[in-house]
Amino acid sequence: MKIAIIGAGPAGLYFARLMKRHQPAHQIEVIEQNPFGATYGFGVTLGGPARERMKATDPEVADALAALMHFNNKQRICLDGEDVLVEYASYGGAIERLKLLGVLQKACLDLGIALHHQRRVDDLSAFAAYDLIVGADGPNSVVRGTDPAAFGTHSYSLTNPFAWYGVAKAMKPNALVFRHTKDGVFVGHYYAYKSDMSTFVAECDAKTWTQSGFDRLSDPERKSAIEAIFADHLQGEPLVENKSIWRTFKVVVNERWFSGNRVLIGDALRSAHFSIGSGTRLAMEDALALFEAFSEHGEDLAKVLPRYVEIRKPIRDLFGVATERSFNWYENVRQAMAGGDVWDFTHDFLTRTGRVDDKRLKDYAPSFYADYMRRKNADARSAAVQ
Ligand SMILES: Cc1cc2nc3c(=O)[nH]c(=O)nc-3n(C[C@H](O)[C@H](O)[C@H](O)COP(=O)(O)OP(=O)(O)OC[C@H]3O[C@@H](n4cnc5c(N)ncnc54)[C@H](O)[C@@H]3O)c2cc1C
């Protein structure tokens, strides 16, 4: 098969690798607008079950990724002056995005896949002779944009502005810091992804954006303001930038996942909000599902593409609901913070997507669950006495 993959992010590279590894005769080209060795952002998290599925399919790549990961199971939830340390039952892994792409690029090059960097695709005319065109080109997908009606694309922007920074040290433990200032509410989310680097995502709500004057500041001024707001956590470390522009998140959903010989995977298919920390693995698992459909049905696109949807859509829909609940929780973060009690707030945060209820929380974050319930029972007893 002659396959063109637009976008050399985690989804596109992983799909290229799986297809070529399975069938070396495939002629696969990956086209990427960025230069080799460049990307946006810092470190990303990769969940355990996804890593196991990847290991079962391509152990070489899974092991290479695991060797570069930083594992952790603790997270501080801070609400103004108070905080709770949550210890999760399972460990999450984080990896530098550039390193992850490096592993996948090497895995592709080892198999003879052509990677074309610094080549932006603006229309699909150059790919008319290809059997399959894969849109792995992120939330602003050109492949999808060639015919939004065919894909049934719906998209809109959230209202909370955010920016993705780094910090040149391992900030431990991971933390989510929710803070009232005189100008509104700010959120700082950080986690270490290697021994000397952390990701730091800063966010505020729409009201704060204008009330605090952030809307009128330049990006360097915003960076300084965030450093001042979270100075106690940063302890003198400046924020590091990598295309760290303040923007709002674009929500993208498609009713149809393929049209003719064009198919969507990763953020091009459905953008995953960063608050669920799963966009990378969802993108790679889309690639895995599309590959599985090819393994089942050979090169018969009329069977492969519907099978891809059948395998993957139920899970994607579940995550879609969780993602929506999560970003809506953040869109209303001011209200969530209003209660003021860090324990109730943490409980609200941990159960915000609906995927974790009290029953699951007991296994998901056992010590937090036990402490929280003890406090609730004590409160109920003292209320009964009064
Ligand atoms: C602030 C922030 C924090 C995040 N944190 C996490 C996290 O902790 N864990 C996690 O799992 N996910 C996280 N994500 C989400 C994650 O980055 C994405 O979900 C993931 O990268 C999607 O992979 P992808 O391959 O579908 O798309 P991308 O990684 O976006 O790759 C698409 C590629 O296509 C290229 N491209 C686009 N258009 C064209 C074109 N016209 N021609 C050629 N090339 C093109 C782009 O340059 C890019 O390299 C975060 C995202 C943000 C914004």
Side-chain angles (χ1 to χ4, degrees):
M1 278 187 101
K2 214 171 163 203
I3 304 172
I5 300 172
I6 319 303
L13 290 169
Y14 196 46
F15 180 66
R17 159 79 180 183
L18 294 175
M19 287 296 280
K20 185 79 174 172
R21 187 170 170 271
H22 184 69
Q23 179 47 272
H26 286 324
Q27 196 183 323
I28 303 180
E29 317 231 357
V30 186
I31 299 101
E32 167 59 48
Q33 63 187 0
N34 282 336
F36 195 82
T39 190
Y40 63 85
F42 293 88
V44 294
T45 51
L46 267 185
R51 290 199 310 274
E52 278 158 33
R53 280 190 285 278
M54 287 176 205
K55 186 155 173 134
T57 312
D58 186 343
E60 207 182 314
V61 162
D63 289 345
L65 292 178
L68 294 168
M69 276 186 193
H70 200 85
F71 293 94
N72 173 69
N73 75 332
K74 294 190 182 69
Q75 185 176 45
R76 259 173 91 192
I77 310 288
C78 313
L79 177 61
D80 295 321
E82 295 192 86
D83 65 78
V84 167
L85 183 69
V86 179
E87 204 167 323
Y88 296 101
S90 59
Y91 278 70
I95 184 168
E96 183 174 0
R97 188 175 146 91
L98 207 49
K99 287 260 166 64
L100 175 138
L101 294 178
V103 166
L104 294 172
Q105 283 157 354
K106 181 176 178 309
C108 286
L109 292 171
D110 286 349
L111 299 179
I113 296 164
L115 304 183
H116 305 283
H117 280 82
Q118 283 184 288
R119 207 175 121 191
R120 187 180 156 78
V121 173
D122 288 308
D123 65 68
L124 302 181
S125 53
F127 309 104
Y130 285 70
D131 301 306
L132 178 73
I133 302 172
V134 180
D137 47 350
N140 299 313
S141 170
V142 166
V143 175
R144 192 186 64 222
T146 55
D147 197 348
F151 290 106
T153 306
H154 304 281
S155 76
Y156 61 97
S157 289
L158 299 182
T159 61
N160 281 9
F162 73 92
W164 195 353
Y165 299 108
V167 182
K169 76 169 188 186
M171 310 243 306
K172 284 186 184 168
N174 295 347
L176 262 166
V177 188
F178 297 85
R179 190 149 276 183
H180 283 100
T181 71
K182 66 176 178 31
D183 296 320
V185 295
F186 288 88
V187 185
H189 179 193
Y190 58 80
Y191 51 88
Y193 61 87
K194 54 182 189 168
S195 59
D196 57 357
M197 274 307 290
S198 303
T199 274
F200 191 110
V201 181
E203 180 171 350
C204 66
D205 70 0
K207 192 170 171 194
T208 303
W209 181 248
T210 44
Q211 200 170 298
S212 64
F214 257 58
D215 60 336
R216 298 179 296 282
L217 298 182
S218 64
D219 276 324
E221 288 168 333
R222 289 177 189 135
K223 178 174 103 72
S224 303
I226 292 294
E227 284 165 348
I229 292 168
F230 297 103
D232 51 339
H233 286 261
L234 289 166
Q235 298 193 331
E237 283 293 333
L239 293 170
V240 182
E241 290 174 279
N242 179 14
K243 302 179 190 160
S244 307
I245 44 163
W246 281 78
R247 58 197 162 108
T248 53
F249 184 83
K250 184 173 174 178
V251 179
V252 179
V253 182
N254 289 281
E255 282 169 32
R256 289 168 290 279
W257 293 22
F258 61 89
S259 167
N261 68 342
R262 291 163 299 160
V263 61
L264 305 175
I265 58 175
D267 273 6
L269 171 67
R270 190 161 190 160
S271 58
H273 191 252
F274 47 88
S275 64
I276 60 160
S278 300
T280 306
R281 66 113 154 167
L282 287 172
M284 292 176 78
E285 287 183 313
D286 288 348
L288 197 54
L290 183 55
F291 163 71
E292 276 167 18
F294 272 103
S295 321
E296 285 178 25
H297 293 289
E299 298 178 9
D300 185 352
L301 289 191
K303 287 192 175 141
V304 169
L305 299 181
R307 177 66 184 137
Y308 160 54
V309 179
E310 195 177 80
I311 296 173
R312 192 67 183 135
K313 195 164 183 304
I315 300 162
R316 268 299 207 165
D317 285 349
L318 270 181
F319 266 94
V321 172
T323 304
E324 205 172 311
R325 287 185 179 151
S326 183
F327 65 59
N328 282 333
W329 188 88
Y330 274 89
E331 291 280 278
N332 295 302
V333 69
R334 183 181 290 252
Q335 200 183 319
M337 290 165 66
D341 178 81
V342 72
W343 286 88
D344 286 336
F345 177 77
T346 302
H347 179 265
D348 188 38
F349 169 76
L350 293 173
T351 54
R352 75 196 182 285
T353 67
R355 282 177 65 78
V356 175
D357 56 12
D358 273 338
K359 204 160 156 254
R360 221 184 133 202
L361 191 59
K362 202 172 172 181
D363 299 325
Y364 180 71
S367 54
F368 170 78
Y369 176 82
D371 290 345
Y372 182 68
M373 285 305 167
R374 207 173 300 123
R375 294 175 75 93
K376 283 277 128 191
N377 291 337
D379 287 352
R381 273 196 302 276
S382 72
V385 169
Q386 280 162 19

